[in-house]
Structure formats: C-alpha cells, structure tokens
Amino acid sequence: MPGSIAAPERGSWVLGDRVTELRVVELGRGPATAWAGRLLGEHGTDVVKIEGPEGDPLRTRGAQVADGSSGYFHALNLGKRGVVAQPGDPLFTRLVATADIVIHDLSPTEAARIGLDAASTEAGEARVVLSITPFGASGPHAGYVAEELTVSNAGGWASLCPTTSRDPERPPLKVFGDQCALMSGVAGAAVALATHREVTHSGIPEFIDLSQQDYVASVLEGAIPGYSYTEQVMLRYHERPLIPWRIFDAKDGAVFMVCVEQDQWERLVELMGHPDWADLPIFETMEGRSENQDLVHTLVQEFVADWETMEFFHAAQARRICCAPVMSLAQLSSDPHIAERGFLRPDEPGGPRFLASAVVGEAGRAPIRRTAPGLARHSAELRDESRTRACQGDAARQLPLAGVRVLDMTWAWAGPFAAMNLAHLGADVVRLESSSRPDLYRRLPFSPVGMEPGLNRSGMFNQWHQGKRSVG
C-alpha cells in the first residue's frame, strides 16, 4: 500500500502484545503532542492523528518535501495514520470515544468543550487523557498561549544559557529547536503508557496534566539544589567551579571537555605531558583553576589545537576524562557508528532518511512502519473501521508502576534522572552503591551554609535520587 513499509511480525519488537492492541488518538498542533504520539507508535500502538481541514500547522513549518508538507512534520509524525475531522463529526466522536490514550494540547476551555478536561475524563470510561500545555490545565496561567521561546524562559532554562560567557550584558538564550516541547513529549509518552498499565488493572480513567514549564524547571540539574540547599541563584554568566569546562577547537573540528573532579584534571595534565605551567600553585586546586579559568582555557586550547578531533576524543576517553566531539549534522549522517546501528533510516524505500527510534531492544531497532500521513490519507479506512477499547479491570487503584522493582546502577545525569522518574510513577527503585567509591553526586559540595558536607547531605544527590532505596 502506498505510504507503508513492511513491518516485523506482531509483538516481535514492541513491548508485548498488549501494547499492539492500544489505540492512541492525537489531537495536537505542536511538537510536544506530535513527538509523544510518534514515540508511542514506535512501541507498537496504533496512533491516529486527527487534523482540521487546514491541516497541522507543522505541515508548513520549515523546508517542504515531495508531498508539500515540511520535513519537520514528517519527522514528528512517522508511523501514524491520519484523518481530517472536527469536534461534532461522527468520525471525530467515535475515534475519541474508543481511544485507549488521547493526547492533546488544547486549552482548558477547548478541552472542556469536547469532554477532554480532567473533570470529564474522570467521570467517563476507563482510558488515559494526556494534556501537554505550556502552563498546565489549572492555575492562573493555564489559559496562556505560549511558544517554545516563552516556555524556555518561563521554565528557567534560558536564564542559564549560554553559560560560556561571563558577560552579564548578554541576554538569556533559548537553545536551538523545540527542546522544551520534545522533552515534554518524551515524558508524556512514558507516563501515559505507564498510566495505561494501571488503568487496565483498576478500570479507573486517568487525566495527566503535564505542564511544559514545570517539566523544563524539573531538569535544570545543579540549578535546583544550588538554590534550595545553598540559596544561590545560578545564572548564565556565573563563575564555573569546574575548570576546564569549554568547547575547544581541534585541527578539524571541536571537542567539549570538562574536568569534574581533581583526579580528572590530573589525568588531563598527564595527557598533556605534564607541562611546567601545570605545577604553578594557581592550578593546583579546583578553586585556583576556577579563579584563573581564562588562563587555564587558553593553555589547554594550545594543546588541543594540535590534535585531530577524534584522536583527542579517544585519547581523553581512554584516561576517563569527560570529553566528546562536537558533531555537525553532516558528520552525524556519515558517522560509521550511527550507520552500523541503523539510527538513520528512510521512511520508505528510496525516501529521505529520518532519525529512527532511539531504543534498541533484543530484536533490534523498531522499524518505521509508515511514512507521515498525508492530509486525510486514512479518513476512509478509519470511517469504516470499528473497534472497542482494550479490556479494563476492576482492581484497587494504585500508582502506575506499583509492583515493579528497578535496580539503579547508574551515576550522574541520565541514569539517576530516569530512575527517579520511575520511582515517581510508583516503582520500587533500589540503588546499588559502592562504599569505597561513593557516587559523584554524593561528593559534590551542595550542602546548606553552615552544615558540614557529608555523603548524605549533598543536595545534588538528594535531588536526583528521590523515592529510591539504597544498598551497598
């Protein structure tokens, strides 16, 4: 069939047959809902995108491809079926009524008018309604309209960027693209799927109110415990305590490097051949390097400038120095590692390449099952298609991941944050730690003023390990 690609056998690469039975209906006009829908589709759900006669605004955002829609629209909507329908149309009513998960970015007033607000959801049949809006579905700002620029500033992210300059006259900076929306979409998809697991047990409908402002604020890493534990407000031009911390220019590109701890700095000095300047008293401690960071960066830059990018990257990594190449899109598209893992794939034979699912399971990476839907492409087939919602249970209500045990063996950044979110959803997260080599976050100096630092007193650790148990 045009617009389709052969897929593996049912259940061979998704999260089990139960997921393949789920119908997701997406009523969105922005990247957050579109990305959440695509992620759910990658894991086997049947995603139906409902658009008005004018089409999703994302169809006209950016460079267009063969069918007249933008490449951005295609990237966010792979794997979905699409219909044109409006509230009041029989097709619209039936699709929403029989969905297992509904995703929308409607204002509270719009959502209430068509029965997709919290009150209507909780009074209705068992299903999940995921609302992703700039400021949430309640509160004085709930009805505000906002784009990515507003959310980035409202969530506090822009106030921390670019952090590469100490000039207070430089304005806050929004990072490239729709990162706030895409992060919210990732979180929304995960929570919706976990919540549906609970709905199948309890038979009780659930309304998920995801505020992009809240979610962006929740990922500001050190800025959160820095304020709550030490009353310091981190700014885009604050003095960095961890030096070097910069993008350095190599012969053929650039590398990012940071020395988080003293032993990493010592290994960098070893890599540099132990230059005489490294023995100067001003460079002996983290405090000294922070006070003289311009000089440190100048001297390290002189060393990095003589290296090829990947050569330096591998040499630094071999010595356990935090370092990564700064990749351009052209370099990513030709990178042999990405090619071998099949991360860039065409949406159909001979078609343009898109980023495939980021998840690789036992059976490999989930395929791109369909091209992004043309406007109203699947209206006829869905008008004639009947379905009933997946079977619901009647067990007592509980948190979505109650009864699930997670073993957290991760350190900084991604792993602790992922496990914390699983704990928030009800999982029993057990952290496996080493008493001889404590977690980096436990050792960072985020203790309240006047309190002696300790392994159980670092705000950095306490912030990102909420709800977990620990064994060592």
Side-chain angles (χ1 to χ4, degrees):
M1 183 177 71
S4 297
I5 296 179
E9 292 182 7
R10 171 189 170 110
S12 62
W13 49 269
V14 296
L15 301 179
D17 283 351
R18 178 177 295 176
V19 175
T20 67
E21 298 170 357
L22 299 185
R23 164 74 58 79
V24 176
V25 168
E26 177 196 316
L27 303 168
R29 295 165 293 194
T33 49
W35 189 234
R38 179 184 158 177
L39 293 175
L40 289 170
E42 286 177 349
H43 287 89
T45 67
D46 175 22
V47 182
V48 178
K49 184 180 185 71
I50 300 180
E51 301 177 72
E54 70 286 354
D56 187 332
L58 292 174
R59 288 187 179 273
T60 59
R61 183 172 163 186
Q64 295 184 341
V65 294
D67 72 344
S69 296
S70 70
Y72 191 38
F73 174 86
H74 277 254
L76 295 178
N77 290 282
L78 294 169
K80 305 174 186 178
R81 294 192 286 174
V83 304
V84 166
Q86 300 182 83
D89 293 347
L91 178 59
F92 183 99
T93 302
R94 181 166 56 80
L95 287 172
V96 171
T98 59
D100 300 292
I101 299 173
V102 177
I103 307 171
H104 72 73
D105 55 10
L106 305 172
S107 71
T109 302
E110 293 175 303
R113 187 168 59 246
I114 61 175
L116 291 175
D117 60 325
S120 301
T121 298
E122 292 163 5
E125 297 185 29
R127 64 175 172 183
V128 174
V129 174
L130 167 63
S131 166
I132 308 179
T133 57
F135 300 102
S138 63
H141 297 170
Y144 284 14
V145 177
E147 296 292 341
E148 180 77 11
L149 178 62
T150 306
V151 173
S152 179
N153 282 274
W157 194 359
S159 72
L160 302 176
C161 296
T163 70
T164 53
S165 169
R166 288 180 286 166
D167 180 2
E169 297 301 318
R170 300 193 69 174
L173 182 68
K174 182 190 84 68
V175 298
F176 176 80
D178 294 313
Q179 306 306 322
C180 300
L182 298 177
M183 287 193 305
S184 299
V186 172
V191 173
L193 197 57
T195 302
H196 188 271
R197 174 182 181 268
E198 164 54 22
V199 170
T200 62
H201 294 157
S202 69
I204 301 173
E206 293 282 0
F207 180 84
I208 301 170
D209 176 8
L210 198 159
S211 157
Q212 292 186 53
Q213 179 190 34
D214 291 353
Y215 192 75
V216 170
S218 78
V219 301
L220 298 184
E221 211 227 358
I224 301 172
Y227 180 74
S228 61
Y229 274 66
T230 68
E231 299 183 358
Q232 294 181 359
V233 177
M234 291 193 179
L235 301 167
R236 60 192 176 278
Y237 49 83
H238 71 274
E239 296 284 348
R240 284 199 175 276
L242 308 178
I243 301 298
W245 180 309
R246 212 187 78 173
I247 293 174
F248 296 93
D249 293 320
K251 284 182 178 180
D252 58 343
V255 292
F256 171 78
M257 181 170 58
V258 57
C259 289
V260 180
E261 296 190 280
Q262 179 67 22
D263 62 317
Q264 295 174 12
W265 165 255
E266 292 169 358
R267 292 195 293 274
L268 175 60
V269 170
E270 178 187 345
L271 175 61
M272 293 189 295
H274 210 116
D276 292 340
W277 60 260
D279 291 327
L280 294 174
I282 60 173
F283 299 136
E284 286 182 351
T285 65
M286 296 177 68
E287 293 77 9
R289 292 191 295 276
S290 178
E291 294 172 359
N292 298 276
Q293 57 186 269
D294 288 344
L295 182 56
V296 173
H297 286 151
T298 298
L299 293 168
V300 173
Q301 173 59 67
E302 291 178 357
F303 174 74
V304 176
D306 291 332
W307 290 71
E308 302 285 343
T309 300
M310 298 307 294
E311 182 184 8
F312 181 82
F313 164 59
H314 290 302
Q317 286 279 296
R319 290 165 175 80
R320 296 177 52 244
I321 299 168
C322 296
C323 178
V326 179
M327 305 282 281
S328 68
L329 289 177
Q331 290 171 323
L332 283 172
S333 67
S334 60
D335 183 73
H337 175 76
I338 287 178
E340 183 175 322
R341 289 173 56 84
F343 187 41
L344 284 168
R345 295 184 175 182
D347 61 345
E348 59 183 353
R353 292 188 301 166
F354 292 94
L355 299 179
S357 170
V359 177
V360 179
E362 182 179 356
R365 198 183 298 274
I368 297 175
R369 295 188 295 164
R370 293 186 182 90
T371 62
L375 190 62
R377 174 178 289 175
H378 303 98
S379 294
E381 70 179 62
L382 281 162
R383 192 173 290 113
D384 299 331
E385 185 178 291
S386 62
R387 83 178 297 269
T388 56
R389 195 178 296 110
C391 180
Q392 311 296 333
D394 58 1
R397 192 179 203 168
Q398 56 185 359
L399 290 172
L401 296 183
V404 175
R405 172 165 292 174
V406 176
L407 183 62
D408 180 6
M409 301 173 64
T410 65
W411 265 33
W413 294 305
F417 184 69
M420 181 190 73
N421 279 281
L422 295 176
H424 287 336
L425 290 169
D428 175 21
V429 180
V430 179
R431 181 162 183 79
L432 183 61
E433 300 190 72
S434 168
S435 57
S436 62
R437 189 165 176 259
D439 187 297
L440 169 64
Y441 277 176
R442 286 192 182 276
R443 292 179 277 122
L444 291 180
F446 279 84
S447 301
V449 176
M451 178 181 287
E452 182 179 351
L455 294 179
N456 294 320
R457 294 175 176 173
S458 171
M460 195 71 161
F461 182 88
N462 295 341
Q463 169 64 34
W464 303 114
H465 294 285
Q466 300 171 39
K468 305 177 187 180
R469 298 193 287 170
S470 175
V471 298

